[in-house]
Amino acid sequence: MSSKEVKTALKSARDAIRNKEYKEALKHCKTVLKQEKNNYNAWVFIGVAAAELDQPDQAQGAYKKAAELEPDQLLAWQGLASLYEKCNQENAKSDLPGVYQKLLDLYESVDKQKWCDVCKKLVDLLHQEKRHQEVARTWYKLIKTRQEDGADKQELHELWRKLTQLLAENIEDQDNETQQMLFTAFENALDLTDSIPSEDHQVLYKHFIQCLSKCPHEATRLQKACEGMINIYPTVQYPLEVICLHLVESGSMTNEGQQYCCKLVEMNSKSGPGLIGLGIKALQDKKYEDAVRHLAEGLKECPNCIAGWCHLAEAQAKIHRPKEAILSCNQALKNIDNHGASGGSHHHKNRCLLLKAEALLQLSDCESSEEAVRILDQVSDADNTPGLLVLQGLAHLNTGAVDKAIKIMEDLQASYPDLAKVHALEALIHFTKKDYLQAEACFQRALEKDPKDADCHYHLGLTYWFMGEETRKDKAKALSHLLKAARLDTYMGKVFCYLGHYYRDVAGDKNRARGCYRKAFELDDTDAESGAAAVDLSVELEDTETALAILTAVTQKASSGAAKWAWLRRGLHYLKAGQHSQAVADHFNAALRADPKDCNCWESLGEAYLSRGGYTTALKSFARASELNPDSIYSVFKVAAIQQTLGRYTEAIAHYQLIIKKKEDYVPALKGLGECHLMMAKAALVDFLDGRAVDYVEKALEYFTWALQHRADVSCLWKLAGDACTSLHAVSPPKVRVHVLGALLGQQDGRETLKKEELLHLGGRCYGRALKLMSTSNTWCDLGINYYYQARHLAETGSSTDGLTELLEKSMHCLKKAVRLDSNNHLYWNALGVVACYHGIGNYALAQHCFIKSIQAEQINAAAWTNLGVLYLATENIQQAHEAFKMAQSLDPSYLLCWIGQALIAETVGSFDTMDLFRHTTELNMHTEGAIGYAYWVCTTLQDKSNRETELYKYNILQMNAVPAAQGVLCKYVGRIQDYAPAFTMLGYLNELLQLKREAAEAYQRAAELLHPTEDQQTYNVAVRNWGRLLCSLGEYDRAVQAFKSTPLEELEDIVGFALALFMKGLYKESNKAYERALSVVKCEQDKAHILTAMAITEYKQGQMDAAKSLLFKCSILKEPTTESLQALCALGLAMQDATLSKAALNELLKHNRHRNDYHRCLLTSAIYALQGRSVAVQRQASKAVHSNPADPALWSLLSRVVAQYTQRNAQGGAVAGIVAHSLDSNHGKALLYTAVNQLAMGSSTAKDEKNIALKTIQKAAFLSPDDPAVWAGLMAACHADDKLALVNNIQPKRVDLHLALLSAVSASFKDKEILQNYNQSLEKWSLSQAVTGLIDSGRISEAESLCTKNLKSNPDQPAVILLLRQVQCKSLLESQKPLPDAVLEELQKTVISNSTSVPAWQWLAQVYQSQGMMGAAEMCYRKSLQVASQQGDWSGKLSSLLKLALLALEVCMANVSGDHWSSLFQEATSEAMKICFCPLAVFLQALLQFNCKMGARETRRLLERVVYQPGYPKSIVSAARWYLLRHLYAKNDYELIDVLVKNAETHGDKRALELNKKLSSQ
């Protein structure tokens, strides 16, 4: 190809590129390159086309090839630059600066404008890569070029300003050359600014100063720039802030700097830099308080200023605020660690650490010193080695590491022997070791080196303060150095504290001492010692306002749990001022928050609570104080005293005893013990616990005597002893036997037993001793009352009249003396009036006068009005008495005696309200008059048989529970008044009504003992008759016979009672004779009928049935035959099994039975039906009775009983009936028994719960009736059923060892029960059978055999037990599966025939035959059992026989025995069973036979599905049916139904079926 063709091809390529046909252009270029490999234009065109076709690598290669061929040509470099600018590859960016540099070289002499453009692009690229030095140099070339080209001022300004923007980023990290170029650019830009001042110029200046402030070495230029800006812009704060911060960081504040700061603060009073600068200047001038104030305010605005925090910490340390200094150091260190904060230098950190260590050492506590040691270890300050070592020595000294401190001190002495701090450290070491002489010398040497060291003066003063005896007496040296320390350091609060100690303890100048303490506390408000001393001295100087002001200031600033001393003192101030609530709420509680273990605070709090009446909280406070200080007797005493006040006498006695153990002669505790026992005695007397009251009085006198042995000069102790002796005045004399210490009786030792008369006399003597020590009106009154009680006791015991009169005169004299001493005390007038109206004096006028005077002295005086009413009542002024009692009631409605007075008036006038009033007195409180009155009216009302249906009777007796209420108060009455026979008679009557028979008998016996036959024979006979009747009821027939024999036996009641006692004793002939004697004196036909009935019963007991029948017939032909006689006749017919006689008697009974008794009628009717064998009629009769009277629990219980006994198929209804009976009467134990029996009859199939609910029911019955043998027998049955249920559910039985224990319980329940012998024997035999069965089931054959043998030894003639023994003996033979000999089988057959009426016996024999393969004989036995069950009407026996017969037939059928007999027998048995009731087992057996005969038949599936899916089938039967159904379905390969059945098994948790499914599915 010629050159022309090459040119043509290149032209074609250029045209193609122009037309954007880049591929065509590439073809032309490649054509050219085939001829000329080094054709520059072709390579350039390839680069252009490839770039446009997005082939950067090919384009880059083409451009580079062209550039290599002709490096001075622009096209290739321009294309390469354009390619790199568009490309994002890393190599492109790295190569682009070189390309730009080559273009600059080529453009420099050719095109200045393009050179400038490329230069700017290069600078931008370098700036992106943060190559600041190259940026600066390149931009400088650009500026220089533009200057040479004659650029104007504005353009140059923009260029210099652009350079400042390019280099301002991270200026502190750039090299010095770049920084200098930047600063030069700022200066040139500022100089070239057109308008000065202007906003743009101001912003640029600010930017310049910001950059300078980031370069610490440019301090001079920075200051110059700030000053320049200040001159131009005098109102702008920024340059002032910068220069102030610069001066702050430099650490030296000159006067010129202070002027800057002042000017800044003038412009902005909250300027942080200005305030910090002023603070530093104040610190330099030793104006520490101003420094702290300025620095704190400034740092609020500039919290990141490290130097400011350091200076603040230094200033705070100077004024001895170490805690604040520590906080400031912590903030400075935090800023240093924060890289964003400026000035984070090593110097600042070391300075902060040293300042913090110094502040920690000022705190002087061990923890702070240990922290100081750790901080000083972090300091690495070679320039301040001596100071650092001194601080380390002080820190070790404060922590107790004296040896380390000595080692540091010795090293310092070797290196710096003339340093004052070294000598001071040595002195402090000696001071710590209490070597005061050496410490004195060292402190003096330190002061020689530095006489202005205030700390040395202070410690030297302390050294003199603690020095020997002479220095202690003369503290002049100590005062001198303490004063010097105070002058040198006016902020050292502890100096002023010791000055206060000096002026208070040595000089005795309290005013000056208080001033020093106040000064110390003002300097250090954490100094509790100074504050407390200032407050205490202010209180001593009676300047309470100053004290309260100090305390208020402290408590207002105090945080929770602080300033305990202030809170405590402020609380004591309010307590002293009587403001108890404020003392408690605000102050003592706050003190306790500060120190919860201060027992003094707790005691003060207790006193405050006690002062305002908060006894419970006071008690807790004193109890806490006692816990904190167990040795404090005062706290324990206050606890006991408060408990005594609150009436907690037992607890108070326990605390008083604790004090006595520590200090036996502590009289207040002895007095408190006596008072507690005396108060307990009075409380016991109120409750009529007289015996307990006597014991308490004895203990009270013992403690009072011990107290008097220590302090016989205390009047109140003698008075309390007198009160104790007099308090038993109301107790019956026989009960009062008090053992008194001989010391109280004037003897040396020993004890003496005092009777009531002697005790009252001793009380009078004690009052006399009290009056000798202190004559008070109260004691005179008590002595007068004591004489009055002595006189009453003499009158009650029938002693001499002379002594009685003398005592009454003394009583009057003493009471008049009390009235003269205090005529305004209403109690004295009242007591004088009571004595005046006593029958031994009878001065009613004086008594009336006294009562009126008492009322005048105290208007609300119910006692005086009541006594006045009694006076009027005694003088038969009924109306006036009523008005007086009425007034007393209005004044105090709860005052008991006025109500008794009103009741007596009502009784006198014959009011219907009498009983209500007496009842109300017993409700208010117990009083003998109210008790006997109420009991009398209750008994009178009860004996009136004609008022039973009246509303008055229903309200007074039934609704108000009169019988138990009267019995309760009467018991208390006879406990105190033991010689009033009518009271015991009434008590016996009431006890009898409450079924308290033994207590009634004792009351009647006591009444008979108090009565004498010669005085009142009739009353005596009544008492003995009642006593005998109760003895007979209690079973004490011998004593009853003897009691009746003590009467003349002339009255009908006595003869009948005697006859009954003889009958119950078993003397039927004698009883019959007594009843015949009663017939001779009887007058009423009804009584005659009763006696004839009783005689018939005695004849029946003797076996004379005909005689009994004839006597009962005599009763029936009377004009008024009694219900009892007809019932007896009906029962006799039942006993004789004469249904006709019973039915006739019942019909006659129903005619004469006016007041229908549903239970007895139903019971007798049901018994007759049972005698006739009509089982269903028995249940229907009971059901009718329940429907007619559904609220009678006895009828429901009877229904439950007859269902369980006669119609077991309705057991579920019987269980419900028993539950209803129990809900109506929870004490009806038999109802629960019948319920459990019915639940057992129901079986687990009917129970909603799978658990044995019968067991729970019978357990409840056992709790209610533990003496009922039937309950324990039922429990045996329930436990047996529970064990069987566990086996069915594949669970281990839990109650296998209870058989013998429950049998013993049944036997124990039969003891002392002579009635129902036949029933008891049957129950005992059944229990034995059940126990033997349980032992057999649990494998304890030998025990079962021995149990039967033991029972037969006691009574050989027991066929049922012999059968049990044979069953036990055959158990092992049958299990061996060996054939039984014919002789054995014959013996077994004979045994069963001897029990031919026993269904289980025939069934057992059938099982024996079945085990021997004698299927025909087994069939005959089962048929025999079925026959016996049918004859007995035994529904369950009949059903069990049919099912066992069906199982026998099924076994033969499954053995494939030929013939239709067994299959027919099976169908017959199951069909009959299903006729009796719904029988799940019969249905399942039919399905099993079908499965055996035709496993795959549809009928098989239908029968099995009926059992599995229909409700009402027991779980065990369903599980077995499910098992067979699963086999049937797998045989049919019916997988859909298999899935349904498996889901059903999973739902019911049938593991056995699921396991079978798993096995069958895997085959």
Side-chain angles (χ1 to χ4, degrees), residues 201-221:
H201 181 263
Q202 182 179 336
V203 171
L204 186 61
Y205 230 134
K206 185 176 181 179
H207 190 197
F208 180 34
I209 292 174
Q210 284 178 349
C211 292
L212 286 172
S213 64
K214 295 177 182 179
C215 301
H217 57 278
E218 295 291 340
T220 305
R221 182 179 279 180

Side-chain angles (χ1 to χ4, degrees), residues 1120-1131:
E1120 295 182 6
T1122 61
T1123 302
E1124 291 80 4
S1125 63
L1126 293 173
Q1127 287 177 348
L1129 183 60
C1130 184

Side-chain angles (χ1 to χ4, degrees), residues 181-201:
M181 288 182 179
L182 172 63
F183 300 147
T184 302
F186 271 117
E187 291 171 351
N188 290 330
L190 289 170
D191 291 339
L192 292 173
T193 304
D194 290 335
S195 56
I196 301 175
S198 65
E199 184 176 353
D200 185 61
H201 181 263

Side-chain angles (χ1 to χ4, degrees), residues 11 33 111 126 276 418 429 447 468 592 732 748 767 809 1090 1100 1122 1134 1138 1195 1351:
K11 183 180 179 183
L33 290 176
D111 190 341
L126 293 173
I276 293 172
D418 296 330
I429 292 172
L447 287 172
L592 285 171
S732 178
Q748 294 297 325
Y767 285 134
E809 289 177 355
H1090 286 311
Y1100 171 77
T1122 61
L1134 291 170
D1138 187 348
L1195 290 175
N1351 194 274

Side-chain angles (χ1 to χ4, degrees), residues 850-918:
C850 291
F851 293 142
I852 293 172
K853 291 291 289 183
S854 177
I855 293 169
Q856 291 175 349
E858 174 58 50
Q859 297 295 323
I860 304 175
N861 194 345
W865 278 107
T866 300
N867 290 333
L868 187 60
V870 173
L871 176 62
Y872 290 141
L873 187 60
T875 56
E876 298 183 357
N877 294 316
I878 304 298
Q879 185 61 36
Q880 289 178 311
H882 169 67
E883 293 297 331
F885 290 138
K886 184 178 178 182
M887 179 60 73
Q889 288 172 318
S890 65
L891 292 174
D892 186 0
S894 63
Y895 188 62
L896 173 64
L897 296 181
C898 60
W899 288 98
I900 294 177
Q902 291 285 32
L904 291 172
I905 291 176
E907 188 176 41
T908 303
V909 301
S911 173
F912 288 108
D913 295 331
T914 304
M915 188 173 177
D916 277 341
L917 289 169
F918 275 120

